[in-house]
């Protein structure tokens, strides 16, 4: 049985399959932020970087007095431009450089959102990621045909409430799958 995909997977998760185990996408969950005939852009939402939010705010000379925010993890959004930061957030707001993914999420890359977060004025639900994932025209479609990824509509609970180490299995669970039962992953818990 052939499953047809929507014309755009914007707002969907890409869940890494075993064929991606030796890549930066190993056990990755990417939120597709843009997908059209020109290609796709996404952010990994479960790959931990070596930084904490306080490290990034300090580098930007922004004071943060909230210890919980300062200790928040910073994620690796993908292998491209890891020197650039992106804030994935729920409330759309009026930031200088924001891109609306859909009715639920926006991505902001301007400093003003970090300043607002540092003072407690930013979005309540937000992730800071460094870098992004990108696919050229037709590349993602070919990877889907090659069974490199599973796709499912994304949800807030996994992005903002599920612990990082559980996001991959929770995203697969949206499809009713246990990823440890997939060939190539069994025995690698």
């Amino acid at each position: 049985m052939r499953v047809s995909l929507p014309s755009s997977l914007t707002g969907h998760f890409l869940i890494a399959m075993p064929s991606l185990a030796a890549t930066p996408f190993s056990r990755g969950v990417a939120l597709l932020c843009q997908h059209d005939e020109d290609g796709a852009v996404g952010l990994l939402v479960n790959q931990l970087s070596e930084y904490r939010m306080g490290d990034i705010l300090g580098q930007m000379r922004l004071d943060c007095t909230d210890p919980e925010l300062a200790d928040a993890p910073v994620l690796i959004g993908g292998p491209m431009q890891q020197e650039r930061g992106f804030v994935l957030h729920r409330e759309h707001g009026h930031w200088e450089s924001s891109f609306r993914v859909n009715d639920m999420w926006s991505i902001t890359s301007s400093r003003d959102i970090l300043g607002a977060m540092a003072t407690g004025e930013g979005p309540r639900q937000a992730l800071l990621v460094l870098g992004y994932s990108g696919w050229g025209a037709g590349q993602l479609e070919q990877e889907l045909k090659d069974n490199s990824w599973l796709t499912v509509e994304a949800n807030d609970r996994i992005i903002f409430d599920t612990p990082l180490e559980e996001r991959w299995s929770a995203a697969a669970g949206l499809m009713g799958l246990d990823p440890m039962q997939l060939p190539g992953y069994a025995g690698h818990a």
Side-chain angles (χ1 to χ4, degrees), residues 79-189:
M80 303 178 85
Q81 294 188 4
Q82 289 188 348
E83 70 283 356
R84 285 193 65 195
F86 302 90
V87 178
L88 172 63
H89 53 97
R90 183 82 167 99
E91 297 89 10
H92 297 297
H94 302 287
W95 315 108
E96 288 178 23
S97 181
S98 284
F99 172 80
R100 196 170 193 156
V101 174
N102 58 21
D103 289 340
M104 296 180 65
W105 304 296
S106 290
I107 298 169
T108 300
S109 60
S110 51
R111 175 186 169 99
D112 60 337
I113 195 169
L114 292 175
M117 291 170 71
T119 62
E121 306 283 323
R124 291 171 306 193
Q125 293 182 308
L127 296 178
L128 176 59
V129 300
L130 300 175
Y132 67 93
S133 303
W135 295 264
Q139 183 181 0
L140 179 59
E141 289 77 8
Q142 185 58 52
E143 289 181 15
L144 290 168
K145 286 178 187 173
D146 294 342
N147 293 316
S148 297
W149 301 98
L150 297 173
T151 63
V152 67
E153 192 170 337
N155 77 31
D156 265 5
R157 180 182 50 79
I158 292 174
I159 294 172
F160 296 115
D161 298 328
T162 303
L164 283 175
E165 64 277 4
E166 296 173 18
R167 290 181 186 172
W168 178 67
S169 59
L174 293 173
M175 300 179 70
L177 298 173
D178 175 358
M180 296 313 294
Q181 300 303 312
L182 295 172
Y185 278 140
H188 298 283

